[in-house]
Amino acid sequence: MTENALENLTIGAFAKAAGVNVETIRFYQLKGLLPQPERPYGRIRRYGQADVARVKFVKSAQRLGFSLDEVGQLLKLEDGTHCSEAAELAAHRLADVRARMADLTRMEDALSKLVSECDAHHGNVSCPLIAALHCC
């Protein structure tokens, strides 16, 4: 694709270049994460490489667990001069990730114990896993 073509993308080509579907583009526009270009009279809207980069930024932030609202906040800090504010958002996300990891570790321990009890279980006595789920 030529450089000029990358600055003159239809919504379909834009979505493909950004690795998302057209509905995602429209949703991001609705949420205010992506500007909607003007529609020249009788013509279709066109998108450029900066729009592709913005969608990729949103997707990268989502993969790190940021909500769309948080992504919107990060986009407002995008000029790079607000590093401490961006770090604060990331610190909150990190705390949330660590809390979820702790919850998952507790779940893993409980399930591992119950599976071990089931493996050791013999006879006509109630299944320890089923019994544990009934108790709470």
Side-chain angles (χ1 to χ4, degrees), residues 112-134:
S112 178
K113 181 180 177 214
L114 288 168
V115 167
S116 294
E117 289 175 9
C118 285
D119 288 344
H121 173 70
H122 298 289
N124 292 333
V125 183
S126 173
C127 171
L129 173 66
I130 301 300
L133 294 175
H134 277 294

Side-chain angles (χ1 to χ4, degrees), residues 12-69:
F14 168 33
K16 185 175 181 180
V20 298
N21 59 46
V22 171
E23 292 77 24
T24 300
I25 301 299
R26 290 187 177 124
F27 181 72
Y28 287 174
Q29 289 172 332
L30 182 70
K31 292 296 235 174
L33 299 172
L34 182 67
Q36 189 174 63
E38 294 295 320
R39 181 191 308 254
Y41 184 74
R43 301 194 55 204
I44 59 174
R45 291 182 174 96
R46 298 295 177 163
Y47 300 85
Q49 195 58 38
D51 298 308
V52 173
R54 191 169 180 102
V55 169
K56 288 182 177 184
F57 178 96
V58 172
K59 296 308 287 180
S60 292
Q62 284 184 296
R63 281 191 297 276
L64 289 175
F66 288 100
S67 69
L68 289 180
D69 287 339

Side-chain angles (χ1 to χ4, degrees), residues 74-82:
L74 288 170
L75 285 167
K76 290 176 184 169
L77 306 173
E78 190 178 24
D79 68 2
T81 62
H82 303 278

